[in-house]
Amino acid sequence: MASGLMATGAMPGVLRSVAAPTPWLPVQRRAGVGTGPGSVLICFPPAGAGAGFFREWAGSLPGIRIVPVQLPGREERFGEAPEEDAVALARNIADAIAAEGWDRPVLLGYSYGALLAFETAMQLEAEDIDIACLIAMARAAPQTTPQPTVADMGDDAFLDYVRRLGGLPPEVDEVPEFAELMLPVMRADFRANDLYARAESERLRCPIHTIAGTADAATADGRDGAWAERTKSDHGLARIDGGHFFINEKPSAAFHQIRDMISSASHAGGVKA
């Protein structure tokens, strides 16, 4: 896979045209119109998913420019090898975001995507690029989830684990060949998720907002609230009835929270006094 423009971020002074193609933030996947600070929403999909996860979001978020992240190994990037290193992925995504020159975008991630969005935000802020806020959905704070990676399970056990989360598309059970195609991507994402590590003392300058399902074991026992420890600014926590994919169970409630969080962040944010 391609490396970033620089090891630590985008090359100073180099900006692409907003319309220029990029595999990480594909122009053809973008939707909606953003008109000011905080009105660009960069969306990171859950493990195994592609930019298509956010295909219908624009209709629920009027006035927001939806910019999905496309990771290697899925959809139009199907022929590329998936990446197992979240830091390396975030470096490429941060380079692509920096090159766009957006005014204080919002970063939103779902499940594994929340982790990837957090690491991307850390790298952007290290380059003095302001983020309006991070919205972490359906994932515990990074420091609360040290564990052996489930990616090393046998095929059946691994697919069962993902199925219990509600993250398997029906095609996996209906067409065995589809499962074989998806397994390398899902395993890579879970390995990147489970093996990620960044010092607990390292925190974002921007606010973090967390949305979690009330019946989601992945964020239970206060692990959703622990995102407060990863920002020098404010932390907001919302819980919605449902499991890991509450976005499908209670979409109206979820989008209401997202709209409120974006509105709040676009007018405020920053490091606490």
Side-chain angles (χ1 to χ4, degrees), residues 54-262:
F54 303 102
R55 185 177 295 113
E56 308 298 331
W57 280 40
S60 299
L61 298 170
I64 302 297
R65 180 68 160 161
I66 307 295
V67 180
V69 171
Q70 188 69 286
L71 301 178
R74 59 217 81 196
E75 297 173 348
E76 65 264 25
R77 301 188 70 181
F78 180 75
E80 299 179 43
E83 173 61 72
E84 298 181 353
D85 183 342
V87 175
L89 280 169
R91 185 176 302 124
N92 283 283
I93 299 165
D95 286 346
I97 293 170
E100 295 283 355
W102 286 312
D103 188 2
R104 297 180 65 237
V106 175
L107 271 57
L108 176 150
Y110 204 100
S111 192
Y112 164 58
L115 174 76
L116 201 52
F118 170 73
E119 175 59 30
T120 301
M122 290 294 303
Q123 295 195 28
L124 287 169
E125 288 194 345
E127 294 296 315
D128 290 325
I129 296 171
D130 288 333
I131 306 300
C133 75
L134 168 69
I135 301 177
M137 301 180 69
R139 198 194 190 279
Q143 73 275 14
T144 68
T145 56
Q147 60 181 1
T149 177
V150 300
D152 295 328
M153 292 177 172
D155 289 355
D156 290 343
F158 178 70
L159 289 171
D160 247 2
Y161 178 85
V162 180
R163 187 180 289 108
R164 288 195 300 273
L165 287 176
L168 276 186
E171 293 85 355
V172 170
D173 291 320
E174 295 166 4
V175 184
E177 293 81 4
F178 186 74
E180 292 178 18
L181 291 173
M182 289 300 300
L183 270 169
V185 170
M186 291 191 291
R187 287 190 186 279
D189 287 356
F190 272 88
R191 191 168 285 114
N193 177 82
D194 296 344
L195 301 182
Y196 174 81
R198 182 182 272 273
E200 293 184 28
S201 60
E202 296 184 66
R203 300 182 292 164
L204 291 172
R205 297 193 302 269
C206 71
I208 297 177
H209 297 286
T210 306
I211 311 177
T214 56
D216 184 3
T219 53
D221 303 319
R223 286 177 290 162
D224 50 0
W227 279 101
E229 300 166 20
R230 302 315 298 257
T231 176
K232 300 175 184 178
S233 185
D234 297 319
H235 175 249
L237 172 60
R239 294 190 176 113
I240 293 175
D241 289 341
H244 192 65
F245 283 94
F246 59 84
I247 188 70
N248 297 328
E249 300 169 56
K250 302 284 185 180
S252 295
F255 284 116
H256 174 77
Q257 291 292 340
I258 294 170
R259 286 193 298 270
D260 281 356
M261 290 171 176
I262 293 173

